[in-house]
């Protein structure tokens, strides 16, 4: 797919957009309990934003040459759109009986964005500083101004469309209806697309280096948008970001994540298979017998097995596992669909799966396909693992966040050496739980299995150990992917299913498990907190049988860490 310039910029800044969505202001707006004082502040500060747009356009229009009529006309059209938006804003304030004279002073974050925009229009901003602009450079400044305005327009349209479906489920004030309906409308989306189209048009005449600078202007504007949404909330949420719920003097958050298909985009066993096959290939490539007096060690299977035989052994493992899984699914489908959430019934079915999974790992070990791997090969497999976007950055931010003393556990049924090499620089801060290999003998020390019961046993033991040493943790978060994670997910305060695996949804849904998008679940919890009168007893523990779903780590990052920015003012 070929992206336009504005689409590429939006994709680049998607992480900031997710942070805006999970801001306390937008979560409270979506839940219907945003305090009138906070909504009024938000509306007034948004007005300051709007006033700055035509000011910036006027500066650009005054500087353009007479022969640049097509650009002048396009910018004038955008200016007229903003003028209409200001008129709607004024009528909205009047209809909602808000005081238009209140909070006439710009918040410091608002002022930062306004100053950035006007400096960009004047050519006096650091990234685009021009002493005496030429006609071509004046066009460049026009593009910079559009690049500074477009993210503000796009994020408003996108967030409103994401929030609107959720607001139908609460008795939100009429003013919330009007505001969200305006920015989620087809009319505003069309105007947003037209603004992006103008930015694309102005960027076409620029060089690659100049477009890079233009993208940096867009990104800076987007970061200022994040600061704007996190700048002030007089009535705080109790729920987000999770990092602010904890006492920095104590460990209060226990965070668990499986390694395969949650941290990584592929199964680590695939990486080990590739390492064993390439190792066998290298040892047979010359086709010469071992040097006189030197024999392979008895446990070094790869020196005794041809690459073709090793591939057959791996293929047989895959076929066997699929056949066993299909048998289990047939037994599972014979059980009547549960009425409501049936935790006990799910546990019985997962006990049967645990036996299959434990036997599957034993089979891998007994076939000897992993024997003979060297430590260097294991580490190389780790360095080649592909991670989900945002995963490694999330862990880095967790450990750098001084307000969050978290105990982080990463679980895998394979080798800790592989995980350690895959997470360089952070593995010393992680509680890694997996298997260990004896590289001398080729033996495998079993500590962790893939089965639901083995994972739940580790999860439960870790919580009990923490409670013995520190007391009850404030919250437990478990990030999983597959049906083997169901017990841990359901017993965590916040169980998050990452990815699109259908099996976990089919099995969980059969026993009444609900899978709810994480933002929707966050809004529902905020509504529960509001309806409880902001009770201190309201916790993040979701309703029984409810799990939250995400497609990437950005939502997890936004929920737990927020924007990672410190507001200028409390």
């Amino acid at each position: 797919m070929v992206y336009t310039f504005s689409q590429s910029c939006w994709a680049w800044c998607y992480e900031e957009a997710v942070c805006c969505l999970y801001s306390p202001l937008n979560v409270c707006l979506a839940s219907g309990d945003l305090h009138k004082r906070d909504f009024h502040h938000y509306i007034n500060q948004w007005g300051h934003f709007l006033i700055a747009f035509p000011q910036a356009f006027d500066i650009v229009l005054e500087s353009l040459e007479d022969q640049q009529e097509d650009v002048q006309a396009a910018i004038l059209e955008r200016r007229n759109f903003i003028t209409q938006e200001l008129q709607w804003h004024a009528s909205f304030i009047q209809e909602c009986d808000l005081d238009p004279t209140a909070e006439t002073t710009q918040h410091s974050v608002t002022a930062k964005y306004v100053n950035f925009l006007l400096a960009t229009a004047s050519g006096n901003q650091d990234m685009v500083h021009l002493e005496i602009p030429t006609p071509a450079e004046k066009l460049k400044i026009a593009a910079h101004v559009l690049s500074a305005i477009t993210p503000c327009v796009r994020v408003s349209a996108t967030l409103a469309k994401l929030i609107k479906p959720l607001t139908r489920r609460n008795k939100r004030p009429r003013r919330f209806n009007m505001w969200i309906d305006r920015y989620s409308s087809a009319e505003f989306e069309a105007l947003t697309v037209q603004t992006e189209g103008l930015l694309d048009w102005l960027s076409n005449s620029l060089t690659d280096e100049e477009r890079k600078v233009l993208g940096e202007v867009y990104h800076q504007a987007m970061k200022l948008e994040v600061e704007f949404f996190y700048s002030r909330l007089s009535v705080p949420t109790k729920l987000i970001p999770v990092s602010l719920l904890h006492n920095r003097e104590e460990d209060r958050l226990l965070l668990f994540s499986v390694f395969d298909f949650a941290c990584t985009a592929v199964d680590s066993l695939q990486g080990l298979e590739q390492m064993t096959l390439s190792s066998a290939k290298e040892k047979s490539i010359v086709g010469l017998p071992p040097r006189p007096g030197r024999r392979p060690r008895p446990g070094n299977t790869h020196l005794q097995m041809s690459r073709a035989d090793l591939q057959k052994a791996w293929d047989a493992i895959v076929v066997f596992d699929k056949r066993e899984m299909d048998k289990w699914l047939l037994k599972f489908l014979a059980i009547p669909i549960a009425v409501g959430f049936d935790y006990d019934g799910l546990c019985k079915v997962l006990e049967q799966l645990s036996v299959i999974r434990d036997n599957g790992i034993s089979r891998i070990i007994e076939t000897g396909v992993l024997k003979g791997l060297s430590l260097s090969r294991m580490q190389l497999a780790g360095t080649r693992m592909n991670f989900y976007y945002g995963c490694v950055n999330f862990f880095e931010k967790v450990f750098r966040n001084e307000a969050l003393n978290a105990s982080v556990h990463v679980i895998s049924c394979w080798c800790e050496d592989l995980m350690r090499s895959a997470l360089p620089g952070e593995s010393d801060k992680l509680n890694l739980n997996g298997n260990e290999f004896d590289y001398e003998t080729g033996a495998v020390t079993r500590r962790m299995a893939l089965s639901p019961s083995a994972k739940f046993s580790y999860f439960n033991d870790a919580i009990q150990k923490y409670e013995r040493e520190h007391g009850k943790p404030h919250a437990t978060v478990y990030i999983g992917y597959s049906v083997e994670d169901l017990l841990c997910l359901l017993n965590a305060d916040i169980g998050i299913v990452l990815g699109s695996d259908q099996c976990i949804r089919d099995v969980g849904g059969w026993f009444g498990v609900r899978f709810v998008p994480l933002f929707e679940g966050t809004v529902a919890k905020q509504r529960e907190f509001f309806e409880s009168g902001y009770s201190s007893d309201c916790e993040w523990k979701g309703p029984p049988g409810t799990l939250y779903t995400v497609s990437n780590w950005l939502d997890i990052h936004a929920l737990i860490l927020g924007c990672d920015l410190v507001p200028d003012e409390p």
Side-chain angles (χ1 to χ4, degrees), residues 547-559:
L547 300 179
Y548 304 109
T549 60
V550 296
S551 59
N552 56 57
W553 280 81
L554 298 182
D555 290 73
I556 300 172
H557 187 135
L559 174 76

Side-chain angles (χ1 to χ4, degrees), residues 51-83:
I51 292 171
F53 289 1
Q55 293 175 353
F57 283 138
D58 287 341
I59 295 172
V60 173
L61 288 169
E62 289 175 4
S63 68
L64 290 173
E65 304 292 321
D66 292 338
Q67 60 269 32
Q68 296 170 321
E69 294 178 356
D70 53 349
V71 180
Q72 289 176 332
I75 292 178
L76 185 59
E77 183 181 7
R78 293 299 91 208
R79 190 195 185 287
N80 291 338
F81 155 57
I82 297 300
T83 300

Side-chain angles (χ1 to χ4, degrees), residues 8-51:
S8 298
C9 288
W10 177 251
W12 183 20
C13 298
Y14 188 70
E15 182 173 355
E16 283 81 4
V18 174
C19 282
C20 292
L21 179 64
Y22 280 85
S23 66
L25 187 148
N26 278 316
V27 169
C28 287
L29 182 63
S31 68
D33 72 304
L34 182 63
H35 196 281
K36 182 178 180 180
R37 182 167 59 250
D38 292 320
F39 184 68
H40 195 181
H41 169 79
Y42 168 50
I43 297 303
N44 278 318
Q45 295 305 311
W46 176 243
H48 290 302
F49 267 53
L50 289 178
I51 292 171

Side-chain angles (χ1 to χ4, degrees), residues 196-313:
E196 292 172 328
L198 178 56
L199 173 60
D200 293 333
W201 179 50
L202 292 173
S203 69
N204 287 338
S205 61
L206 303 182
T207 65
D208 289 343
E209 189 61 32
E210 289 169 339
R211 275 194 290 270
K212 181 180 178 182
V213 175
L214 199 61
E216 291 171 353
V217 173
Y218 190 109
H219 193 206
Q220 179 60 28
M222 195 66 188
K223 289 192 289 186
L224 292 172
E225 279 288 306
V226 175
E227 288 193 58
F228 173 74
F229 279 107
Y230 281 82
S231 61
R232 173 179 155 179
L233 200 65
S234 62
V235 180
T237 73
K238 180 184 172 65
L239 306 168
I240 56 168
V242 174
S243 61
L244 298 184
L245 307 180
H246 308 291
N247 185 332
R248 71 176 61 194
E249 302 299 327
E250 303 175 12
D251 267 344
R252 291 180 179 265
L253 174 69
L254 298 187
L255 175 63
F256 299 83
S257 175
V258 295
F259 185 71
D260 296 300
F261 291 118
C263 294
T264 67
V266 296
D267 188 351
S268 58
L269 190 60
Q270 295 177 12
L272 296 180
E273 177 183 350
Q274 293 171 3
M275 285 295 105
T276 60
L277 291 172
S278 63
S279 177
K281 181 178 180 180
E282 289 175 6
K283 288 163 183 162
S284 62
I285 193 168
V286 179
L288 296 176
R291 280 182 284 176
R294 182 179 178 184
R295 293 184 177 180
R297 291 175 181 167
N300 202 333
T301 308
H302 299 158
L303 294 181
Q304 302 170 17
M305 189 184 299
S306 70
R307 188 178 190 279
D309 289 340
L310 190 58
Q311 182 67 71
K312 288 180 182 178

